[in-house]
Amino acid sequence: MHAADALIADQIRAVLTAAEAGDGTAPIVEAGDPVLRTDTRPFDGQVDDAELEQLAEVMRATMLAAPGVGLAAPQVGIALSMFVAEDPGARDPEVAKVRQREPMPLRVVLNAGYERAGADDVAFYEGCLSIPGYQAVVARPRKIALTGRDLQGNPIAEEVSGWSARIVAHETDHLSGILFLDKAEMRSLATNESVAKFWHHPSTQKAAAELGFSLPSGMVM
C-alpha cells in the first residue's frame, strides 16, 4: 500500500476508535488545521467495506449532532475524497421557494467532482462546521453536474440544483482543500448572531445593498 493510503487507513481507524469510545461522533477539525488545505486522495480500497460503512455512519452522526447538512472527510481529519450530506429542507415556504431549498435525502459520495451545469449563479449566506460562528455570502452555480461513486462503488453522474447543489459544491470543494471563505464576498462576513438579526431574509438583496457587495448579474429571485 502507498504510504499516503496507509496514512488514510490509519486516520480512518483513529476516527472510528474515537467514535466507539465516545458518543458515536468524531471531533470536527477547525480552520487552521493543514488537513483542511490538503488535496484528498480518492478512495481506492484503503479500508474494507465494513470500515468504510462505519466511517459513513460516524460522519453522518457527527454532521447531525453539530448540527449541519454536510460533512467532508477532511473535516474529521481524514485526507480522503468522501462526503456525506442530508438536508431536511426549509420549513418556511418563502425561503424554500427563493433558495430552492427542497429536502435532500442522505447521500454518501466518494471521489466526488462537479462542474457547473448552467449559466446562472445564485448568492446566499452559508457557513461551515469547520469555521464555527461565522457566515458569508457565496455565489455558486444554480445547477451542477456531480460525478463520483456511492458506497457500493456504483458510479454517480447526475445534475443537482438549488440549495442541494450549494451543499454538494461546498462539500466537494473541501476535497480540494477549498473553504467557503475562499469564494465568499468578504464584505458580507457576519457572525451567526448578526445573520439572524439583520440578514435572515430569504434573499441576499438587502444585505448586498447595505453591506456594499455585488450579487451575480441577472440573479433572479
Side-chain angles (χ1 to χ4, degrees):
M1 182 182 290
H2 191 282
D5 289 326
L7 175 61
I8 288 171
D10 289 343
Q11 291 171 339
I12 291 171
R13 288 167 184 145
V15 167
L16 296 181
T17 298
E20 289 173 1
D23 61 359
T25 67
I28 294 177
V29 169
E30 295 188 355
D33 191 307
V35 72
L36 292 174
R37 294 304 196 176
T38 302
D39 277 334
T40 57
R41 290 181 66 82
F43 179 74
D44 189 25
Q46 290 93 340
V47 294
D48 62 29
D49 291 349
E51 288 174 304
L52 185 64
E53 290 179 7
Q54 288 173 7
L55 176 60
E57 291 172 2
V58 169
M59 288 176 61
R60 178 176 185 255
T62 303
M63 172 187 72
L64 295 177
V69 294
L71 189 73
Q75 293 181 275
V76 291
I78 303 170
L80 178 69
S81 182
M82 174 180 178
F83 74 80
V84 298
E86 184 176 4
D87 183 20
R91 288 176 290 183
D92 185 310
E94 185 180 2
V95 171
K97 179 180 179 181
V98 171
R99 300 183 186 177
Q100 294 182 287
R101 187 169 184 177
E102 302 298 329
M104 178 175 63
L106 173 67
R107 62 186 316 148
V108 181
V109 183
L110 304 169
N111 308 343
Y114 75 92
E115 296 180 353
R116 66 165 54 248
D120 292 345
D121 282 347
V122 287
F124 296 104
Y125 271 99
E126 63 180 74
C128 179
L129 297 179
S130 292
I131 307 175
Y134 290 89
Q135 298 180 46
V137 172
V138 182
R140 295 191 184 273
R142 188 186 296 272
K143 184 183 294 184
I144 63 171
L146 171 68
T147 58
R149 293 190 175 276
D150 65 18
L151 273 180
Q152 289 70 46
N154 301 311
I156 295 170
E158 62 181 86
E159 287 193 349
V160 186
S161 61
W163 200 264
S164 294
R166 177 171 297 272
I167 296 169
V168 167
H170 177 118
E171 299 308 328
T172 305
D173 280 352
H174 273 298
L175 308 180
S176 298
I178 297 169
L179 299 177
F180 84 99
L181 287 180
D182 299 334
K183 297 183 172 183
E185 291 283 352
M186 292 307 293
R187 289 186 68 92
S188 72
L189 184 66
T191 63
N192 290 344
E193 291 79 9
S194 290
V195 172
K197 181 177 180 180
F198 299 109
W199 316 123
H200 57 277
H201 316 86
S203 81
T204 45
Q205 291 173 323
K206 182 175 175 63
E210 296 193 20
L211 296 179
F213 62 90
S214 299
L215 294 176
S217 59
M219 182 172 165
V220 177
M221 306 310 300

